Amino acid sequence: MLLVQTKEVNKWIGARQLLKDISFNIYRGNKIGFVGHNGTRETANEIWELSSNGLDCFKGIYNDFFKYKQGDFKAGQELEDELVKMKRVELLTQLEQTSDEKKIEKINTELDQLC
């Protein structure tokens, strides 16, 4: 049974393109992995999991993902806290770089929602 069909998928992290025009099919029971030249244990910063709920994205290294999947919610919470800190830094950087009032208002709203 076909679960996922992709055509010409592109994935970027910042200015670096990780996937270019990738097309593939995923069938029930398939195990899929994308492994870079350094492996995944400590270098992956994004893990995609295909489950019956759809495709989920986990931001972080594989070891934290594995702990989270095993029920170590503390690891998941620590990661969530770190992601909030990273998002705050990103928004503050954007705030410093803009003079557009609408963008400033939007950024301030997002910052308020992080608290």
Side-chain angles (χ1 to χ4, degrees):
M1 173 182 190
L2 182 64
L3 298 176
V4 175
Q5 182 176 44
T6 67
K7 293 185 179 181
E8 300 177 8
V9 172
N10 293 286
K11 175 67 178 166
W12 294 79
I13 293 183
R16 186 172 175 193
Q17 187 171 19
L18 300 180
L19 301 176
K20 182 176 180 182
D21 299 327
I22 301 296
S23 299
F24 58 88
N25 296 331
I26 300 175
Y27 295 90
R28 182 179 299 277
N30 285 160
K31 305 262 188 273
I32 309 297
F34 297 99
V35 180
H37 68 281
N38 290 329
T40 62
R41 288 255 179 229
E42 296 296 328
T43 58
N45 63 2
E46 185 173 285
I47 298 163
W48 298 348
E49 179 184 37
L50 181 62
S51 69
S52 59
N53 297 326
L55 187 63
D56 296 318
C57 180
F58 182 88
K59 301 282 187 181
I61 63 173
Y62 180 80
N63 288 340
D64 287 341
F65 171 74
F66 184 74
K67 287 178 189 175
Y68 181 75
K69 294 301 283 183
Q70 296 300 312
D72 184 351
F73 295 103
K74 182 179 180 206
Q77 184 59 49
E78 289 171 0
L79 179 62
E80 184 68 28
D81 292 345
E82 191 60 33
L83 291 173
V84 169
K85 288 178 192 174
M86 289 169 49
K87 181 65 176 177
R88 184 174 288 119
V89 168
E90 176 187 331
L91 290 170
L92 289 172
T93 301
Q94 290 176 12
L95 194 59
E96 289 176 350
Q97 296 174 347
T98 189
S99 59
D100 183 300
E101 289 298 321
K102 288 184 180 183
K103 287 183 182 178
I104 291 171
E105 184 177 332
K106 181 181 177 206
I107 292 168
N108 282 326
T109 299
E110 288 184 53
L111 283 167
D112 289 343
Q113 292 172 351
L114 289 177
C115 298

